[in-house]
Structure formats: structure tokens, C-alpha cells
Amino acid sequence: MKALQYRTIGAAPEIVEIETPEPGPGEVRIRVTAAGACHSDSFIMGLNEEQYIYGLPLTLGHEGAGIVDKLGEGVTGVEVGEAVAVYGPQGCGRCVQCAQGKENYCERAAELGIRPPGLGAPGAMAEYLVVPDARFLLPLGDLDPVEHVALTDAGLTPYHAIKMSLPKLVPGTTAVVIGAGGLGHVAIQLLRALSPATVVALDVSQDKLRLATEVGAHHVFPSDAEAAERVKELTGGTGAAAVFDFVAIQPTIDAGHAMLAVEGDQVLVGVGAGAVPAGLLAAPYDSTVRAPYWGSRAELFEVFELARAGLVKIETERFSLDEAPEAYRRLHEGTLRGRAVVVP
């Protein structure tokens, strides 16, 4: 079968022919109908030899959907021919977090060597994918796999981040989204669907600011040195009740901190890193900083229901599997409008 693999540190991913996998006991094979490309993929392909921990070659793709194709021995709960989406942050299934469906926070995944598809385990950028347990497959029903596969990360991750801040997003408050790209443009829609807050989007790209307006942002500003002052002025000096940073590099972290209200949430979702001032005289009173990761299986069901209700839609550009390297090139350059979806 064909697959898109990252094979050499620092090189572009390649289309290769590999053996079609067979499901073992308890495993499920799906025929992939859609796979999403994500900045997390670009991030791991940007690591040097000392930093890279995922093993090579690596079949990319942690957003996947498909048709159940073959069942391993003992599998129950899914049927051949069923349309499914893959829950990516897979855990042990036995710890306290996994028992709550929060496999994104599994206490034993690292110890047991469990890694998400495309982020250590073989991913969905291939014609077939073997999933280790049927519990990681959620029914798609009438949802189109190409239009909705990115909900498994680009929908689930902002949903989880926003859901935890909803008690603070009461009428009269303001929520800020930094980075209106693949995840950020979904976050804007989720904020509009789930809260009465005024939604402000910040980005360095005018194209992404236009997209932010199209999907429901009340206000859009350039993400520059004046952004925090603009948000403060818009809110009458109060600041934002929640800042969702989908970039999370030092300049955006600094800006988010500067525009945060008393008791506000600064939520660092992007894969960047930096330092946040803390302490009574260094941060707004009773403010918090969070770094959420992906989301729970139950939350993915909820995201799918929002999509069925027409409350969230992901902008997608479609690529064939042979065109997948081009999709990643565009992703790296920041020239995608929304999300790239590869259709094997």
C-alpha cells in the first residue's frame, strides 16, 4: 500500500510503498477515507536528531477516518463496513484518567510506550491503518469524513481548551483567540456556539483575519506589539476573561499576559514554549495559566454533535495521497486556508 512517511531527519516526507498491515488480536483495520495534516506534524519534523524521539520511518497522520475493513480476533463493538473516526490520544485504558475517557491524560502511556497514530505509531496518511482497540473508533454516522476528519484534533483540542474556561465566559466578557489558522478558526466557532462572550481574533496574516471574520469573530486585529492595548481599549481597560493562544511562542505569550483580566485564563494550546510571569505583583489577581492537551473521548462525541447541528465547520483543502508532500509544504509555509485533508 501507499503511505506518506517521514524517513530522514530534516528532510521532507515521502510517498512510499509499504506492506499492508494485518490486524492482530483485539485490533481493527480501517480503509482510510481521510487524514488531516497538522502543525504538530511540522513540529516533530522540525526537531533535530537529539530532540527527535518518535522513531523512523514514521507514517504521518494523527487525524484519521475510514471504513472498518477487517477485525482481529476477539473484536466486538464495531462492524466491517462501518464509517468511523479515530480517537488519537490513546492510553492504557486502565488508569484513573482513562477510566474517565481522558486518555489524553493517561498516567501510563509513556511508561508503556503508547503513542498516538502519526506521533510515534503508524498514522493515517496511508491506504490502511490498524487501530489497537475498538474503543478508539467513534461512529461517524452521516458526517462526511473529508469535511470532518480534522474534528478529531482541530475540533477536539480547542473544544477541550474552551470547555474548561466556559464558567468565566459570562455575558459582557471577552475571549481572545491568538492564531486564526487550523485550530484557531474552529475555536472562534466554538466560542460563538458555547458562550455569550465577545470574540476577538489576532493573527499576523490578513487572509486568516478575513477567515476569522467569516467564521464569526466580532473583532479582528493584527497580532503585533499593539494587540494587547487594542484589546484593553476594546474592553474598557478590563481585559480578556480568557486568552486562547494557538501559537504559544514568547511574543504571543507576552501579549496574552498583557491583555488578561483579573481572574482571567491564559490558555496555551500551541506547541511553542515560553515563560509566563507569575506572582501577586506580576500577574492579574487570581489569573491562571493552563496548557491543555487534546481532549477526551467523551468530548469528541460532543464535538461531532456540534458539527451535526451545523455549529462548527472546518475549512479544508483537499489533497490526494500523492499530493500529501505538497500539503505539508503549504502547511509549513502557512499558506493553507484552514486545514489540509489528504484523501487516499
Side-chain angles (χ1 to χ4, degrees), residues 63-273:
E63 296 175 340
I67 303 296
V68 175
D69 172 73
K70 190 173 184 179
L71 305 179
E73 182 183 350
V75 171
T76 60
V78 294
E79 298 181 358
V80 172
E82 184 177 355
V84 292
V86 181
Y87 174 73
Q90 301 165 6
C92 70
R94 298 177 60 85
C95 69
V96 171
Q97 299 291 353
C98 286
Q100 301 174 73
K102 299 176 183 177
E103 303 212 20
N104 51 316
Y105 296 144
C106 176
E107 298 171 352
R108 302 191 63 207
E111 169 196 344
L112 296 173
I114 300 170
R115 289 178 176 166
L119 296 172
M125 293 281 175
E127 294 176 299
Y128 293 91
L129 171 68
V130 168
V131 178
D133 194 290
R135 76 177 185 274
F136 301 132
L137 298 175
L138 278 64
L140 267 179
D142 58 352
L143 293 178
D144 179 271
V146 177
E147 292 184 8
H148 297 95
V149 65
L151 290 176
T152 59
D153 181 3
L156 178 58
T157 297
Y159 181 76
H160 176 62
I162 290 167
K163 189 176 179 181
M164 297 172 70
S165 292
L166 286 178
K168 297 185 179 182
L169 297 178
V170 297
T173 60
T174 296
V176 175
V177 173
I178 301 178
L183 274 69
H185 88 283
V186 182
I188 293 164
Q189 297 173 67
L190 291 169
L191 286 164
R192 292 299 309 269
L194 299 171
S195 85
T198 296
V199 180
V200 178
L202 308 177
D203 204 288
V204 296
S205 163
Q206 286 299 318
D207 286 341
K208 289 184 172 62
L209 290 181
R210 281 191 287 271
L211 175 59
T213 300
E214 291 172 16
V215 298
H218 295 97
H219 304 277
V220 298
F221 300 130
S223 185
D224 58 19
E226 308 301 321
E229 188 57 38
R230 293 189 184 100
V231 171
K232 280 296 191 75
E233 183 178 350
L234 179 69
T235 59
T238 300
V243 177
F244 302 96
D245 187 346
F246 291 93
V247 183
I249 58 176
Q250 195 62 57
T252 62
I253 291 172
D254 291 343
H257 179 78
M259 65 182 70
L260 199 63
V262 169
E263 296 185 300
D265 284 355
Q266 185 171 4
V267 188
L268 307 179
V269 191
V271 295

